[in-house]
Amino acid sequence: TSAYPSWQLISEGGTVYMVYKNTKTGFSSASVFTGLGFKFGNVLPAGYSNLNNSGYIVNSAHSSHPWGTWIINGASTVYFVHESGLIPVPDWGTFIANGGQASFIVSANSADFTLPILTVMANSDSRLK
């Protein structure tokens, strides 16, 4: 298992990464990172994480959010961005039970909703591990 959950933002060697299932995906620039709604205050300095690089770099603030992101559609449904699509979170208790933290939720964009909507998240959902 990873020392970081599948939604943690880390900083390593001057690059910010999204952690997802023991891999890390980098952001090409600070403007892409903040343009997707992320906050530098949520980034943990990792030094050397020993995580494999996903090989994908987030290059545009207009792309869908990287795997591992918690997004919200307006003021209603929270989703988790999974490699197969968006996992809707049915309630706040389920969000918390799966490691969610309010400060990590970012606003969804139109590119996110080109992804399939998956079955509703359960407590301790295995798809997040």
Side-chain angles (χ1 to χ4, degrees):
T1 56
S2 172
Y4 304 101
S6 284
W7 49 261
Q8 183 64 60
L9 296 164
I10 63 170
S11 173
E12 186 176 289
T15 300
V16 173
Y17 296 92
M18 169 65 73
V19 174
Y20 182 76
K21 294 187 177 180
N22 296 315
T23 62
K24 60 186 179 185
T25 297
F27 293 86
S28 63
S29 68
S31 62
V32 169
F33 179 78
T34 58
L36 283 167
F38 295 106
K39 300 174 187 129
F40 285 106
N42 288 333
V43 178
L44 284 178
Y48 179 70
S49 69
N50 204 26
L51 294 171
N52 290 326
N53 198 312
S54 71
Y56 177 71
I57 297 172
V58 183
N59 286 313
S60 172
H62 303 290
S63 63
S64 60
H65 285 83
W67 299 345
T69 305
W70 297 99
I71 60 172
I72 191 164
N73 183 21
S76 57
T77 305
V78 172
Y79 297 87
F80 183 80
V81 183
H82 182 268
E83 72 257 27
S84 299
L86 302 178
I87 303 173
V89 182
D91 55 55
W92 196 251
T94 303
F95 173 70
I96 298 299
N98 283 287
Q101 295 180 26
S103 65
F104 280 80
I105 300 172
V106 297
S107 294
N109 62 34
S110 58
D112 292 319
F113 290 99
T114 64
L115 303 171
I117 304 295
L118 305 175
T119 57
V120 174
M121 184 178 286
N123 286 336
S124 300
D125 199 304
S126 63
R127 295 174 290 179
L128 277 64
K129 299 185 182 347

